[in-house]
Amino acid sequence: MGIFLRELRIHGRGGQGSVTAAELIATAAFKSGVFSQAFPAFGVERRGAPVQAFVRFSDEKVRLRSQIYEPDYIIVQDSSLITDVDVFSGLKEGGIALVNTEKDTVDGVPEGVKLIAIDATSLALEILGLPITNTTLMGAFAAATGEIGLEALEEALSERFSGSLAEKNIAAARRAYELVKEGQ
Amino acid sequence: MLQIMEGSHAVAEAAKLCRPEVVSAYPITPQTHIVERLADFVADGELDAEYICVESELSALSVCLGSSAAGSRVYSATSSQGLMLMAEVVFNVAGMRQPIIMSIANRALGAPLSIWNDQQDSISLRDAGWFQLYGEDVQEMTDQHFIAYKAAEQHDVLLPGFVCFDGFILSHTYEPVDIPTQEEIDAFLPPYVPYNKLDAKAPISMGMYATPDYYMEFRYETDQALQRAGDAISAAGKEFGEMFGRDYSGHTESYRMDDADVAFVALGSICGTVKDAIDEMRADGIKAGLVKIRTFRPFPSKELAKALAGVSKVAVLEKNISLGSTMKGAVGPEVKDAVTGTAIDVYSYVIGLGGRDIRKKDIRGIANLAEKGVGNMFYGLRTEVL
């Protein structure tokens, strides 16, 4: 096992792009020289059902294949999940919870956890014209944790999307990045 | 060059690099991304192959069998129920000695319906005459495709092979992988030279009727060829190692076995979790080790016996259940047979069926049971729902 192993768990609903978010965060981390691993936990494959996706970051090859139970970070794409799913389960003390919400506070955040609340839905609607929050939250994740650089994230986004779609998603990620940086 | 990509896409890249002339497959979760990507390669002109669309897995492997018999290098991929639907043809491919390579994104079998991972599908076809390789991570399962073609097409082998990897756990994981270049693979894997083929100008028949006077000799010859496949896989794995720096000459791989008292035996992605669990157990003074099985068919009994020499207990981690058997798992009895005549106790533990997550603490729990001589059981049952 390596010198460091940090773990991210993403909570979302089917159709919100949680798996894509995990893949792109892992890709951005790899581009920053980290050995990353991203994988989904598929439940029932339908829109709206709670889904999880996971990312591990390490200085060396990640061998562990189990799901993530004690994450350093969580991303919650949809705050309505908090009443259905124990999104904070196992979140480490000193960990970071990044929650998409219109409100300033979130119920149930464990003690010792840093909450970053961001209205990613409004940002995504404004910039992308769609309430798809995954790329916005990736920008916020980069700013909040420093696990991935903004440049690497932009590179990963432009590999995944093309043309104006890439530009809009990069703009959304960048805006969220700046907002979180300003708040720190 | 190391790049990050999804396991399925790495497999599609590997298949493409092997230059199959015919690809036929039917999509099934969690294998679908592989054949989708290959269809793209063909449509985009990146792969010069016939991509033959069919209406079922039975037809997919039938198309592959005919194409291989006509002298083409052939590729397919499937999972779970898809493999079961192919079963009749699976046996025929081996009997007709066609070196088809098929990726298996391992998935549980119904009923009840499960899209999630275990290894019941490929393990259930262990007697079909195909060699079976299992990958631990995206790199290994990618590399095993090159080795599989090289071994299968040797004229003293001429048998098909499965390259198996855990569905979702590896097929849908993004991680860094080194994909060789086309020039490198061309240097490793020359074009397929059939021993014989269907040719209207020089007609032959394949898959003929064999009376009781001949049938057993055909089966004997197929078994002999599968034993030789073991040597061919090892030789190809060694050559691959010399060219690419990743050696696969062993049918097994030992991890911290030097002074091990308890040894795990396992196949596939679980081995990574086991290695991490072993590091933690070692830190606590528990002398645990792992012997990973890469080649399940032909079964590497001699190599396994050597690797396990000196341990007192063996815990075989089984992502399959041989319903109605004494040891529960299908791998355990073969491990036990490999160490016959020694004082080693071998136990099977059925774990992770239908996508049940496997954690380091489960591995440690099994080590404790093996120490106490308790085994041949399901591990991690939810007794409250029984």
Side-chain angles (χ1 to χ4, degrees), chain B residues 29-40:
Chain B
T29 299
Q31 151 270 26
T32 305
H33 292 181
I34 301 169
V35 295
E36 278 178 351
R37 185 54 63 100
L38 280 166
D40 283 345

Side-chain angles (χ1 to χ4, degrees), chain B residues 136 140 247 250-255 257 275 290-294 303:
Chain B
E136 176 189 332
E140 188 167 72
D247 179 74
H251 298 301
T252 65
E253 179 198 275
S254 293
Y255 183 76
M257 281 297 295
K275 287 174 183 174
L290 166 71
V291 182
K292 173 174 87 178
I293 294 180
R294 277 201 197 103
E303 202 178 306

Side-chain angles (χ1 to χ4, degrees), chain B residues 239-257:
Chain B
E239 189 187 337
F240 188 88
E242 285 160 3
M243 288 180 72
F244 298 94
R246 297 185 293 272
D247 179 74
Y248 300 100
S249 56
H251 298 301
T252 65
E253 179 198 275
S254 293
Y255 183 76
R256 304 195 75 166
M257 281 297 295

Side-chain angles (χ1 to χ4, degrees), chain A residues 5-170:
Chain A
L5 175 68
R6 287 188 291 270
E7 300 179 312
L8 161 67
R9 190 174 66 210
I10 303 174
H11 294 272
R13 294 188 181 276
Q16 289 182 328
S18 300
V19 176
T20 304
E23 291 168 1
L24 290 174
I25 288 171
T27 303
F30 172 71
K31 286 176 186 300
S32 314
V34 168
F35 197 110
S36 53
Q37 175 201 61
F39 59 105
F42 281 112
V44 285
E45 292 179 275
R46 60 175 162 81
R47 281 185 182 269
V51 297
Q52 293 178 30
F54 309 98
V55 186
R56 289 194 169 97
F57 309 91
S58 181
D59 57 309
E60 63 176 42
K61 184 167 180 161
V62 179
R63 300 184 301 203
L64 188 62
R65 300 285 169 189
S66 57
Q67 294 178 10
I68 291 172
Y69 298 89
E70 292 174 355
D72 297 275
Y73 316 113
I74 61 165
I75 295 177
V76 183
Q77 292 225 61
D78 182 337
S79 58
S80 75
L81 278 166
I82 294 172
T83 51
D84 302 345
V85 180
D86 184 6
V87 297
F88 301 110
S89 172
L91 182 57
K92 280 181 190 154
E93 199 176 335
I96 296 173
L98 176 61
V99 181
N100 173 25
T101 175
E102 299 167 328
K103 299 172 188 161
D104 295 333
T105 58
V106 172
D107 291 337
V109 181
E111 214 168 299
V113 164
K114 184 177 178 186
L115 172 72
I116 295 182
I118 182 168
D119 186 1
T121 306
S122 295
L123 276 179
L125 276 171
E126 184 194 325
I127 300 168
L128 305 172
L130 287 168
I132 305 292
T133 55
N134 59 351
T135 48
T136 308
L137 288 165
M138 284 176 224
F141 177 78
T145 67
E147 284 294 347
I148 53 172
L150 186 61
E151 261 181 41
L153 180 58
E154 290 181 3
E155 204 182 319
L157 285 167
S158 43
E159 281 174 14
R160 177 62 72 100
F161 304 108
S162 56
S164 67
L165 197 58
E167 285 169 24
K168 283 180 185 174
N169 277 291
I170 287 170

